[in-house]
Amino acid sequence: MIAGVIAVVLLLAIAAYACGGGTDYGAGFWDLTAGGAERGKRPRRLIDHAMEPVWEVNNVWLVFVLVIMWTGFPVLFQQVFTTMWLPLALAAVGIVLRGAGFALRKPVRRLAGRRLYGAVFAVSSLLTPFFLGAAAGGVASGRVTATTTASTDAWANPTSLLFGLLAIAATATLGAVFLAADARRFAEPDLDRYFRRRALAALVAVAVLAVVTLFVTHGDAPHVWHGLTHGTGLFFVIVAVLATLATAWLLTRPSGAWSRVTAVGVVASAVIAWGMAQRPYLVPTSLTVAQGAGAHTTLRWLALVTLVAVVLVIPAVALLYRLDTHGELEGLTDADLRR
Amino acid sequence: MHTVLLLADAPAQTLPARSMMAFTLVTHIVLVPLGVALPLITLIMHGYGLRRNDATALLLARRWSAVMAVQFAIGVVTGTVLSFEFGLLWPGMMGRWGDVFGIGFGVEAWGFFLEAVLIAIYLYGWRRLPSRAHFLLGLPLPFVALLGAFGILAANSWMNTPRGFSLDAAGNPVDVNVRKAIFTPILGPEYWHFVVAMFVTAGYVTAGVYAMGWLRGRRDRYHRLGFTIPFTFAAVCTPVQFVLGDSIARQVFHKQPVKFAAMEIVWKTDTHVPEYLFGRLHPNGTISGGIRIPQLDSILAGFRPDTKVTGLTTVPASDRPTPTQATIVHWTFDIMVGIGSLLLLLALWYGVLWLWRRRLPASPWFFRAAACAGVASVVAVECGWITTEVGRQPWIVYQNMRVAEAVTATRSTSLWIMFALVVVVYVFVFGSLLVVLLKMRTRWRLADRQGGPLPPKETPEPDTPETDTPYGPRSTGSRL
């Protein structure tokens, strides 16, 4: 019972990271594709300005995911990190480069330096979600087992590749939707149009990839396929489809407050649908939630930790997002740093 | 002999895995003091500025914020790497013990989350938040930083003095008692020793920057203030740290006697044990080099020359640090204590003169020493960490799991390649961080010399004319 609750917490934390971290990697994706220094100058400045105050918080969700995983389901953690060694190691390197590239680009003045750090930031924003998605695909297709060791075929398989690509497309959608709304907030209607067009394209890519994934999982990850087409899993798939349609409709008009909600709905319900489809397994069909769960006492404490986190962290994060979306947060300018 | 045997027993993955863990920790630790204590020092400066309506103090606080913004970002990502490495390098430890000691990290995750939120509000709230609200929202920062540190230290102390579980017939932990697993015997000493070390280090590092300026003849109020507040903060903490350091050494003597034996290279259990300053332990138990002070080790450990000190040979060779590891631990411990003592003298010099004459020392030697104090305290932090980690060898969970049992099964070649990649990435990232910070300093110095904002045409930024366009009327001046 308590193990099930913690499994749901883990799933929700993954969904939160997919949405928070996803927005951030998505911004990196559009930074990468913004074109040359001249053409991409304005989108890039918007990306800098919009992501600056919130990207670190977006990425802390990942730490939550890891902590819940190794405390609540130590065996799962051990198996995932042993089997999916290479994609996870590369994702870790990607996270360093992404954060460092973004943080260092801002204070650098020379164009060459900005280009270098910007490229580092953008390329790793593409690779990190891919490798994290590939690792998730390895779990979904049951390739993470106690006996498997790190090897390429553990993650270079159809499900992993598709999960990786889906991760990229989903982050690109989120990034573009959020940036479009930011552009409107900063009174830049043409950038709003610019990012809405890209959000729509990315959303189409998500839809196509999702359909392909459904076909591929039929053979490659039968348990997940069955879960996605029946019961709770199916319910969340339908929610995801409806959210996709709503997002597409909202993207055809100037950004308001709602496109962000529906875009988050797409990604979150897709992640939840995947988790629900895996029931009762942590890794289909070799490790159930009950088998993988840690000590009973620990799980109860973990529930308490989660509860405190909800009480303590959610208001703080809400305050940050509120201040940010109301334009109260702004980096120091050169003038502020001179006497 | 033993060394050869032990190396043959350990899987080939151990060396690259340990090297990679050590490297990523050594580099991350450089950022930790600033991450934990720079917000506090900045808030002190900020509060001082607000109270006295002091523009110079506020300028310093703003500039430190700009430094914090870059440095905190790098700290976030290098810290995330460490969480990954638990799984990538030590899956055996996490698989078996994750549910026993992992909960501390849950606390750390709150701390980290709140810190990220508050630091974002603080760093980006300078311009538009009301100044009082901005300062008040920053005030909880030092506390959440300490909360995060508590989680990490709880996990590390558990590795040193594990408890809160019993073992079943198969050797797996059962009957987990989370409270006991968090509050392990060494947690108290380790936590406070760490926290004050962070305060001292951040204070001396920050003050060191302005001590350099002072030596180069920049003796205005800006440099005076930038030096005095962090230095006073660190100087007040230094004697406290001396007492805490002494106390943790005695706790290690009681709780981890074999580690203490390595720290003091004690071979055989004995009373009237001499203290060696440096020196080298050989596999046959002899010690060459170093300065021998008769009886002192026993006196330090138990206040009496007839205190019995446990020697390394009380446990089999396979359960204790090798002579080489013991020598490393001994050296790092001695260096840390040595640096701590020198810093205490420096703090006394400063304190006595301040109480007596109410002024800063005038001697350039004082400022030379103060400029070195920052680097020295970072070295001391690194040494302290090496002492605690290498002193625990060959255990990853003291007396319960060996490093060799915890290491990943991934081929050692992959680990070496990944290690090389990580080194390249870290050299690039930390090198860039240093360059960026130095550039910021140069820019501010130039601005200070000209005594006002640069006219736009002299600003090298290529996109100056556009400064106000993308974000409408909200922004003034060029971006940082």
Side-chain angles (χ1 to χ4, degrees), chain A residues 41 45-46 53 56 85 96 106 117 188 295 297-298 305 327 329-331 336-337, chain B residues 62-63 73 81 88 94 99 110 120 124 127-128 176 415 432 463 466 470-471 474 480:
Chain A
K41 188 192 282 175
R45 288 172 69 94
L46 177 67
E56 281 147 341
W85 195 86
V96 175
K106 211 189 84 172
Y117 294 122
E188 290 285 302
T297 350
T298 309
V305 165
L329 299 182
E330 199 181 322
D336 293 321
L337 298 170
Chain B
R62 280 200 301 274
R63 286 186 175 174
V81 166
L88 293 173
M94 303 315 285
D99 55 343
W110 305 334
Y124 297 99
R127 285 177 66 82
R128 308 191 72 85
V176 176
L415 290 175
S432 306
D463 44 15
E466 228 196 343
Y471 315 120
R474 290 162 28 90
L480 177 66

mmCIF file of all heavy atoms in Angstrom, chain A residues 41 45-46 53 56 85 96 106 117 188 295 297-298 305 327 329-331 336-337, chain B residues 62-63 73 81 88 94 99 110 120 124 127-128 176 415 432 463 466 470-471 474 480:
data_model
loop_
_atom_site.group_PDB
_atom_site.id
_atom_site.type_symbol
_atom_site.label_atom_id
_atom_site.label_comp_id
_atom_site.label_asym_id
_atom_site.label_seq_id
_atom_site.Cartn_x
_atom_site.Cartn_y
_atom_site.Cartn_z
ATOM 1 N N LYS A 41 19.368 36.558 -32.691
ATOM 2 C CA LYS A 41 19.668 37.393 -31.533
ATOM 3 C C LYS A 41 18.458 37.605 -30.646
ATOM 4 O O LYS A 41 18.524 37.391 -29.430
ATOM 5 C CB LYS A 41 20.197 38.740 -32.028
ATOM 6 C CG LYS A 41 20.723 39.608 -30.901
ATOM 7 C CD LYS A 41 20.954 41.016 -31.350
ATOM 8 C CE LYS A 41 22.248 41.121 -32.132
ATOM 9 N NZ LYS A 41 22.428 42.485 -32.671
ATOM 10 N N ARG A 45 17.839 36.235 -26.850
ATOM 11 C CA ARG A 45 17.744 37.150 -25.702
ATOM 12 C C ARG A 45 16.485 36.863 -24.901
ATOM 13 O O ARG A 45 16.488 36.925 -23.670
ATOM 14 C CB ARG A 45 17.747 38.604 -26.182
ATOM 15 C CG ARG A 45 19.104 39.030 -26.690
ATOM 16 C CD ARG A 45 19.019 40.383 -27.328
ATOM 17 N NE ARG A 45 18.748 41.411 -26.326
ATOM 18 C CZ ARG A 45 19.699 42.111 -25.732
ATOM 19 N NH1 ARG A 45 20.958 41.897 -26.041
ATOM 20 N NH2 ARG A 45 19.400 43.028 -24.844
ATOM 21 N N LEU A 46 15.422 36.526 -25.628
ATOM 22 C CA LEU A 46 14.190 36.172 -24.924
ATOM 23 C C LEU A 46 14.414 34.919 -24.073
ATOM 24 O O LEU A 46 13.991 34.854 -22.912
ATOM 25 C CB LEU A 46 13.059 35.937 -25.934
ATOM 26 C CG LEU A 46 11.740 35.485 -25.310
ATOM 27 C CD1 LEU A 46 11.133 36.598 -24.469
ATOM 28 C CD2 LEU A 46 10.752 35.048 -26.372
ATOM 29 N N PRO A 53 15.742 33.249 -14.200
ATOM 30 C CA PRO A 53 15.425 33.094 -12.778
ATOM 31 C C PRO A 53 14.913 31.705 -12.399
ATOM 32 O O PRO A 53 14.946 31.366 -11.243
ATOM 33 C CB PRO A 53 14.317 34.136 -12.537
ATOM 34 C CG PRO A 53 14.281 34.987 -13.754
ATOM 35 C CD PRO A 53 14.787 34.144 -14.867
ATOM 36 N N GLU A 56 17.171 26.839 -12.557
ATOM 37 C CA GLU A 56 17.763 25.993 -11.517
ATOM 38 C C GLU A 56 16.668 25.240 -10.765
ATOM 39 O O GLU A 56 16.780 24.050 -10.504
ATOM 40 C CB GLU A 56 18.584 26.836 -10.539
ATOM 41 C CG GLU A 56 19.950 27.176 -11.112
ATOM 42 C CD GLU A 56 20.445 28.523 -10.665
ATOM 43 O OE1 GLU A 56 19.623 29.346 -10.227
ATOM 44 O OE2 GLU A 56 21.653 28.753 -10.745
ATOM 45 N N TRP A 85 23.771 2.475 -17.936
ATOM 46 C CA TRP A 85 24.936 3.234 -17.504
ATOM 47 C C TRP A 85 25.321 4.337 -18.490
ATOM 48 O O TRP A 85 25.435 5.501 -18.119
ATOM 49 C CB TRP A 85 26.122 2.280 -17.315
ATOM 50 C CG TRP A 85 27.227 2.902 -16.544
ATOM 51 C CD1 TRP A 85 27.336 2.927 -15.189
ATOM 52 C CD2 TRP A 85 28.356 3.603 -17.051
ATOM 53 N NE1 TRP A 85 28.462 3.610 -14.823
ATOM 54 C CE2 TRP A 85 29.106 4.040 -15.949
ATOM 55 C CE3 TRP A 85 28.816 3.928 -18.320
ATOM 56 C CZ2 TRP A 85 30.278 4.764 -16.069
ATOM 57 C CZ3 TRP A 85 29.980 4.657 -18.449
ATOM 58 C CH2 TRP A 85 30.704 5.070 -17.332
ATOM 59 N N VAL A 96 25.721 19.029 -16.819
ATOM 60 C CA VAL A 96 26.784 19.976 -16.456
ATOM 61 C C VAL A 96 26.975 21.009 -17.552
ATOM 62 O O VAL A 96 27.020 22.220 -17.304
ATOM 63 C CB VAL A 96 28.124 19.240 -16.226
ATOM 64 C CG1 VAL A 96 29.228 20.225 -15.965
ATOM 65 C CG2 VAL A 96 27.995 18.269 -15.088
ATOM 66 N N LYS A 106 25.768 34.366 -20.180
ATOM 67 C CA LYS A 106 25.243 35.684 -19.854
ATOM 68 C C LYS A 106 26.332 36.720 -19.549
ATOM 69 O O LYS A 106 26.317 37.802 -20.118
ATOM 70 C CB LYS A 106 24.259 35.564 -18.686
ATOM 71 C CG LYS A 106 23.172 36.604 -18.755
ATOM 72 C CD LYS A 106 22.353 36.589 -17.488
ATOM 73 C CE LYS A 106 23.039 37.429 -16.462
ATOM 74 N NZ LYS A 106 22.236 37.641 -15.259
ATOM 75 N N TYR A 117 29.643 29.252 -25.582
ATOM 76 C CA TYR A 117 28.838 28.799 -24.450
ATOM 77 C C TYR A 117 27.405 28.514 -24.882
ATOM 78 O O TYR A 117 26.773 27.585 -24.394
ATOM 79 C CB TYR A 117 28.869 29.826 -23.320
ATOM 80 C CG TYR A 117 30.240 29.975 -22.711
ATOM 81 C CD1 TYR A 117 30.887 31.204 -22.679
ATOM 82 C CD2 TYR A 117 30.892 28.873 -22.186
ATOM 83 C CE1 TYR A 117 32.143 31.328 -22.140
ATOM 84 C CE2 TYR A 117 32.146 28.982 -21.648
ATOM 85 C CZ TYR A 117 32.778 30.221 -21.629
ATOM 86 O OH TYR A 117 34.027 30.337 -21.095
ATOM 87 N N GLU A 188 6.192 41.453 -27.114
ATOM 88 C CA GLU A 188 6.905 41.153 -28.354
ATOM 89 C C GLU A 188 6.016 40.286 -29.229
ATOM 90 O O GLU A 188 6.281 39.088 -29.387
ATOM 91 C CB GLU A 188 8.192 40.396 -28.042
ATOM 92 C CG GLU A 188 9.254 41.209 -27.367
ATOM 93 C CD GLU A 188 9.919 42.148 -28.347
ATOM 94 O OE1 GLU A 188 10.468 41.673 -29.357
ATOM 95 O OE2 GLU A 188 9.874 43.351 -28.106
ATOM 96 N N ALA A 295 12.599 -0.595 2.771
ATOM 97 C CA ALA A 295 12.020 -0.953 4.067
ATOM 98 C C ALA A 295 10.740 -0.159 4.327
ATOM 99 O O ALA A 295 10.616 1.005 3.947
ATOM 100 C CB ALA A 295 13.030 -0.686 5.169
ATOM 101 N N THR A 297 9.414 1.084 7.074
ATOM 102 C CA THR A 297 9.580 2.309 7.873
ATOM 103 C C THR A 297 10.075 3.459 7.006
ATOM 104 O O THR A 297 9.571 4.577 7.083
ATOM 105 C CB THR A 297 10.638 2.103 8.973
ATOM 106 O OG1 THR A 297 10.967 0.728 9.028
ATOM 107 C CG2 THR A 297 10.172 2.635 10.285
ATOM 108 N N THR A 298 11.070 3.141 6.172
ATOM 109 C CA THR A 298 11.642 4.181 5.326
ATOM 110 C C THR A 298 10.590 4.776 4.411
ATOM 111 O O THR A 298 10.536 5.996 4.225
ATOM 112 C CB THR A 298 12.782 3.606 4.483
ATOM 113 O OG1 THR A 298 13.676 2.922 5.352
ATOM 114 C CG2 THR A 298 13.508 4.684 3.739
ATOM 115 N N VAL A 305 8.405 12.955 4.354
ATOM 116 C CA VAL A 305 9.305 13.899 3.673
ATOM 117 C C VAL A 305 8.587 14.554 2.500
ATOM 118 O O VAL A 305 8.664 15.770 2.294
ATOM 119 C CB VAL A 305 10.578 13.166 3.196
ATOM 120 C CG1 VAL A 305 11.339 13.997 2.181
ATOM 121 C CG2 VAL A 305 11.473 12.852 4.376
ATOM 122 N N GLY A 327 6.720 39.606 -13.859
ATOM 123 C CA GLY A 327 7.785 40.516 -14.247
ATOM 124 C C GLY A 327 8.506 41.171 -13.083
ATOM 125 O O GLY A 327 9.116 42.225 -13.230
ATOM 126 N N LEU A 329 10.992 39.719 -11.453
ATOM 127 C CA LEU A 329 12.355 39.228 -11.376
ATOM 128 C C LEU A 329 13.130 39.658 -12.615
ATOM 129 O O LEU A 329 12.683 39.430 -13.729
ATOM 130 C CB LEU A 329 12.373 37.705 -11.255
ATOM 131 C CG LEU A 329 11.671 37.147 -10.022
ATOM 132 C CD1 LEU A 329 11.782 35.647 -9.986
ATOM 133 C CD2 LEU A 329 12.238 37.754 -8.755
ATOM 134 N N GLU A 330 14.282 40.263 -12.374
ATOM 135 C CA GLU A 330 15.064 40.758 -13.486
ATOM 136 C C GLU A 330 16.522 40.792 -13.075
ATOM 137 O O GLU A 330 16.848 41.199 -11.952
ATOM 138 C CB GLU A 330 14.586 42.171 -13.814
ATOM 139 C CG GLU A 330 14.979 42.616 -15.168
ATOM 140 C CD GLU A 330 14.509 44.033 -15.427
ATOM 141 O OE1 GLU A 330 13.408 44.384 -14.984
ATOM 142 O OE2 GLU A 330 15.274 44.766 -16.050
ATOM 143 N N GLY A 331 17.395 40.334 -13.962
ATOM 144 C CA GLY A 331 18.817 40.301 -13.633
ATOM 145 C C GLY A 331 19.381 41.691 -13.415
ATOM 146 O O GLY A 331 18.853 42.686 -13.904
ATOM 147 N N ASP A 336 23.682 48.713 -12.481
ATOM 148 C CA ASP A 336 23.506 48.400 -11.060
ATOM 149 C C ASP A 336 24.816 48.018 -10.399
ATOM 150 O O ASP A 336 24.937 48.036 -9.185
ATOM 151 C CB ASP A 336 22.552 47.207 -10.900
ATOM 152 C CG ASP A 336 21.153 47.554 -11.342
ATOM 153 O OD1 ASP A 336 20.737 48.676 -11.071
ATOM 154 O OD2 ASP A 336 20.504 46.697 -11.972
ATOM 155 N N LEU A 337 25.769 47.613 -11.207
ATOM 156 C CA LEU A 337 27.009 47.104 -10.639
ATOM 157 C C LEU A 337 28.118 48.141 -10.720
ATOM 158 O O LEU A 337 29.274 47.848 -10.509
ATOM 159 C CB LEU A 337 27.412 45.824 -11.368
ATOM 160 C CG LEU A 337 26.368 44.703 -11.217
ATOM 161 C CD1 LEU A 337 26.664 43.547 -12.134
ATOM 162 C CD2 LEU A 337 26.313 44.225 -9.779
ATOM 163 N N ARG B 62 25.410 43.861 -4.202
ATOM 164 C CA ARG B 62 24.918 43.577 -5.555
ATOM 165 C C ARG B 62 25.968 42.834 -6.372
ATOM 166 O O ARG B 62 25.671 41.892 -7.093
ATOM 167 C CB ARG B 62 24.533 44.880 -6.258
ATOM 168 C CG ARG B 62 23.181 45.425 -5.878
ATOM 169 C CD ARG B 62 22.671 46.402 -6.915
ATOM 170 N NE ARG B 62 23.567 47.533 -7.103
ATOM 171 C CZ ARG B 62 23.550 48.643 -6.366
ATOM 172 N NH1 ARG B 62 22.683 48.761 -5.380
ATOM 173 N NH2 ARG B 62 24.397 49.617 -6.597
ATOM 174 N N ARG B 63 27.211 43.282 -6.240
ATOM 175 C CA ARG B 63 28.262 42.613 -7.017
ATOM 176 C C ARG B 63 28.451 41.176 -6.555
ATOM 177 O O ARG B 63 28.664 40.278 -7.368
ATOM 178 C CB ARG B 63 29.565 43.389 -6.899
ATOM 179 C CG ARG B 63 29.518 44.662 -7.708
ATOM 180 C CD ARG B 63 30.843 45.390 -7.726
ATOM 181 N NE ARG B 63 30.774 46.539 -8.609
ATOM 182 C CZ ARG B 63 31.739 47.433 -8.748
ATOM 183 N NH1 ARG B 63 32.843 47.319 -8.029
ATOM 184 N NH2 ARG B 63 31.600 48.439 -9.572
ATOM 185 N N ALA B 73 25.025 28.517 -10.076
ATOM 186 C CA ALA B 73 24.585 27.707 -11.220
ATOM 187 C C ALA B 73 25.541 26.544 -11.449
ATOM 188 O O ALA B 73 25.110 25.402 -11.642
ATOM 189 C CB ALA B 73 24.500 28.574 -12.469
ATOM 190 N N VAL B 81 25.615 16.040 -10.629
ATOM 191 C CA VAL B 81 26.480 14.956 -11.100
ATOM 192 C C VAL B 81 26.778 13.974 -9.961
ATOM 193 O O VAL B 81 26.774 12.755 -10.151
ATOM 194 C CB VAL B 81 27.794 15.537 -11.655
ATOM 195 C CG1 VAL B 81 28.833 14.449 -11.836
ATOM 196 C CG2 VAL B 81 27.538 16.216 -12.972
ATOM 197 N N LEU B 88 25.845 5.589 -10.846
ATOM 198 C CA LEU B 88 26.745 5.210 -11.932
ATOM 199 C C LEU B 88 27.974 4.486 -11.401
ATOM 200 O O LEU B 88 28.521 3.615 -12.067
ATOM 201 C CB LEU B 88 27.178 6.444 -12.719
ATOM 202 C CG LEU B 88 26.079 7.138 -13.517
ATOM 203 C CD1 LEU B 88 26.591 8.439 -14.104
ATOM 204 C CD2 LEU B 88 25.574 6.216 -14.628
ATOM 205 N N MET B 94 23.947 1.722 -3.073
ATOM 206 C CA MET B 94 22.596 2.265 -3.069
ATOM 207 C C MET B 94 21.566 1.139 -3.069
ATOM 208 O O MET B 94 20.540 1.232 -2.411
ATOM 209 C CB MET B 94 22.373 3.179 -4.271
ATOM 210 C CG MET B 94 23.340 4.329 -4.375
ATOM 211 S SD MET B 94 23.615 5.193 -2.834
ATOM 212 C CE MET B 94 22.113 6.124 -2.692
ATOM 213 N N ASP B 99 17.645 2.432 1.223
ATOM 214 C CA ASP B 99 16.480 2.711 2.061
ATOM 215 C C ASP B 99 16.868 2.915 3.517
ATOM 216 O O ASP B 99 16.052 3.341 4.323
ATOM 217 C CB ASP B 99 15.427 1.603 1.919
ATOM 218 C CG ASP B 99 15.982 0.232 2.217
ATOM 219 O OD1 ASP B 99 17.212 0.090 2.219
ATOM 220 O OD2 ASP B 99 15.186 -0.694 2.447
ATOM 221 N N TRP B 110 14.763 19.097 0.055
ATOM 222 C CA TRP B 110 13.993 20.291 0.422
ATOM 223 C C TRP B 110 14.880 21.507 0.462
ATOM 224 O O TRP B 110 14.557 22.560 -0.054
ATOM 225 C CB TRP B 110 13.435 20.284 1.846
ATOM 226 C CG TRP B 110 12.604 19.183 2.317
ATOM 227 C CD1 TRP B 110 11.829 18.353 1.573
ATOM 228 C CD2 TRP B 110 12.447 18.797 3.691
ATOM 229 N NE1 TRP B 110 11.187 17.478 2.414
ATOM 230 C CE2 TRP B 110 11.551 17.730 3.709
ATOM 231 C CE3 TRP B 110 12.973 19.272 4.888
ATOM 232 C CZ2 TRP B 110 11.168 17.105 4.895
ATOM 233 C CZ3 TRP B 110 12.585 18.657 6.051
ATOM 234 C CH2 TRP B 110 11.695 17.568 6.057
ATOM 235 N N ALA B 120 17.021 32.494 -6.378
ATOM 236 C CA ALA B 120 16.530 33.108 -7.616
ATOM 237 C C ALA B 120 15.803 34.410 -7.287
ATOM 238 O O ALA B 120 16.002 35.436 -7.953
ATOM 239 C CB ALA B 120 15.601 32.144 -8.345
ATOM 240 N N TYR B 124 17.436 37.920 -8.524
ATOM 241 C CA TYR B 124 16.711 38.631 -9.575
ATOM 242 C C TYR B 124 15.696 39.618 -9.012
ATOM 243 O O TYR B 124 14.903 40.184 -9.755
ATOM 244 C CB TYR B 124 16.060 37.625 -10.532
ATOM 245 C CG TYR B 124 17.100 36.793 -11.226
ATOM 246 C CD1 TYR B 124 17.412 35.520 -10.792
ATOM 247 C CD2 TYR B 124 17.834 37.337 -12.282
ATOM 248 C CE1 TYR B 124 18.413 34.777 -11.401
ATOM 249 C CE2 TYR B 124 18.830 36.601 -12.898
ATOM 250 C CZ TYR B 124 19.109 35.325 -12.448
ATOM 251 O OH TYR B 124 20.107 34.614 -13.055
ATOM 252 N N ARG B 127 16.125 44.541 -8.643
ATOM 253 C CA ARG B 127 15.683 45.705 -9.418
ATOM 254 C C ARG B 127 14.249 46.108 -9.141
ATOM 255 O O ARG B 127 13.930 47.291 -9.097
ATOM 256 C CB ARG B 127 15.844 45.419 -10.922
ATOM 257 C CG ARG B 127 17.283 45.476 -11.370
ATOM 258 C CD ARG B 127 17.414 45.123 -12.827
ATOM 259 N NE ARG B 127 16.785 46.103 -13.683
ATOM 260 C CZ ARG B 127 17.367 47.234 -14.032
ATOM 261 N NH1 ARG B 127 18.571 47.518 -13.608
ATOM 262 N NH2 ARG B 127 16.744 48.073 -14.827
ATOM 263 N N ARG B 128 13.372 45.111 -8.995
ATOM 264 C CA ARG B 128 11.958 45.470 -9.019
ATOM 265 C C ARG B 128 11.211 45.232 -7.712
ATOM 266 O O ARG B 128 10.157 45.803 -7.503
ATOM 267 C CB ARG B 128 11.249 44.727 -10.158
ATOM 268 C CG ARG B 128 11.960 44.912 -11.498
ATOM 269 C CD ARG B 128 11.130 44.416 -12.642
ATOM 270 N NE ARG B 128 10.007 45.287 -12.902
ATOM 271 C CZ ARG B 128 10.062 46.377 -13.658
ATOM 272 N NH1 ARG B 128 11.209 46.713 -14.214
ATOM 273 N NH2 ARG B 128 9.001 47.106 -13.843
ATOM 274 N N VAL B 176 14.776 -1.369 9.799
ATOM 275 C CA VAL B 176 15.367 -0.043 9.646
ATOM 276 C C VAL B 176 14.742 0.935 10.643
ATOM 277 O O VAL B 176 13.525 0.987 10.787
ATOM 278 C CB VAL B 176 15.158 0.470 8.216
ATOM 279 C CG1 VAL B 176 15.688 1.884 8.071
ATOM 280 C CG2 VAL B 176 15.818 -0.448 7.225
ATOM 281 N N LEU B 415 34.700 3.172 -17.756
ATOM 282 C CA LEU B 415 34.853 4.114 -16.653
ATOM 283 C C LEU B 415 36.014 5.059 -16.898
ATOM 284 O O LEU B 415 35.911 6.271 -16.652
ATOM 285 C CB LEU B 415 35.065 3.360 -15.346
ATOM 286 C CG LEU B 415 33.856 2.607 -14.800
ATOM 287 C CD1 LEU B 415 34.235 1.805 -13.578
ATOM 288 C CD2 LEU B 415 32.753 3.576 -14.455
ATOM 289 N N SER B 432 36.360 28.210 -17.438
ATOM 290 C CA SER B 432 35.494 29.282 -17.917
ATOM 291 C C SER B 432 34.964 30.095 -16.745
ATOM 292 O O SER B 432 34.892 31.321 -16.808
ATOM 293 C CB SER B 432 34.312 28.714 -18.681
ATOM 294 O OG SER B 432 34.750 27.872 -19.682
ATOM 295 N N ASP B 463 25.709 44.406 -28.778
ATOM 296 C CA ASP B 463 24.303 44.697 -29.038
ATOM 297 C C ASP B 463 23.785 45.854 -28.177
ATOM 298 O O ASP B 463 22.646 45.856 -27.771
ATOM 299 C CB ASP B 463 23.463 43.441 -28.844
ATOM 300 C CG ASP B 463 23.863 42.690 -27.583
ATOM 301 O OD1 ASP B 463 24.570 43.299 -26.744
ATOM 302 O OD2 ASP B 463 23.487 41.527 -27.458
ATOM 303 N N GLU B 466 20.542 47.849 -28.865
ATOM 304 C CA GLU B 466 19.282 47.148 -28.760
ATOM 305 C C GLU B 466 18.841 46.940 -27.319
ATOM 306 O O GLU B 466 17.826 46.311 -27.083
ATOM 307 C CB GLU B 466 19.421 45.772 -29.424
ATOM 308 C CG GLU B 466 18.285 45.484 -30.369
ATOM 309 C CD GLU B 466 18.231 44.014 -30.683
ATOM 310 O OE1 GLU B 466 19.225 43.314 -30.441
ATOM 311 O OE2 GLU B 466 17.184 43.580 -31.166
ATOM 312 N N PRO B 470 14.154 44.450 -26.758
ATOM 313 C CA PRO B 470 13.369 43.222 -26.691
ATOM 314 C C PRO B 470 12.438 43.188 -25.492
ATOM 315 O O PRO B 470 11.435 42.505 -25.524
ATOM 316 C CB PRO B 470 14.419 42.112 -26.547
ATOM 317 C CG PRO B 470 15.709 42.749 -26.723
ATOM 318 C CD PRO B 470 15.540 44.203 -26.496
ATOM 319 N N TYR B 471 12.760 43.873 -24.457
ATOM 320 C CA TYR B 471 11.970 43.731 -23.258
ATOM 321 C C TYR B 471 11.227 45.011 -22.924
ATOM 322 O O TYR B 471 10.897 45.274 -21.794
ATOM 323 C CB TYR B 471 12.853 43.269 -22.103
ATOM 324 C CG TYR B 471 13.748 42.171 -22.550
ATOM 325 C CD1 TYR B 471 15.123 42.282 -22.502
ATOM 326 C CD2 TYR B 471 13.186 41.027 -23.129
ATOM 327 C CE1 TYR B 471 15.926 41.276 -22.972
ATOM 328 C CE2 TYR B 471 13.997 40.022 -23.615
ATOM 329 C CZ TYR B 471 15.360 40.151 -23.538
ATOM 330 O OH TYR B 471 16.146 39.158 -24.022
ATOM 331 N N ARG B 474 10.838 47.874 -19.621
ATOM 332 C CA ARG B 474 11.209 47.354 -18.318
ATOM 333 C C ARG B 474 12.685 47.490 -18.005
ATOM 334 O O ARG B 474 13.079 47.654 -16.862
ATOM 335 C CB ARG B 474 10.832 45.871 -18.214
ATOM 336 C CG ARG B 474 9.354 45.635 -18.163
ATOM 337 C CD ARG B 474 9.023 44.199 -18.504
ATOM 338 N NE ARG B 474 10.083 43.272 -18.178
ATOM 339 C CZ ARG B 474 10.200 42.666 -17.013
ATOM 340 N NH1 ARG B 474 9.340 42.892 -16.072
ATOM 341 N NH2 ARG B 474 11.172 41.833 -16.808
ATOM 342 N N LEU B 480 23.791 42.593 -18.102
ATOM 343 C CA LEU B 480 25.078 42.282 -17.482
ATOM 344 C C LEU B 480 25.909 41.461 -18.454
ATOM 345 O O LEU B 480 25.460 40.478 -18.965
ATOM 346 C CB LEU B 480 24.823 41.455 -16.229
ATOM 347 C CG LEU B 480 26.061 40.975 -15.484
ATOM 348 C CD1 LEU B 480 26.799 42.153 -14.909
ATOM 349 C CD2 LEU B 480 25.671 39.988 -14.400
#
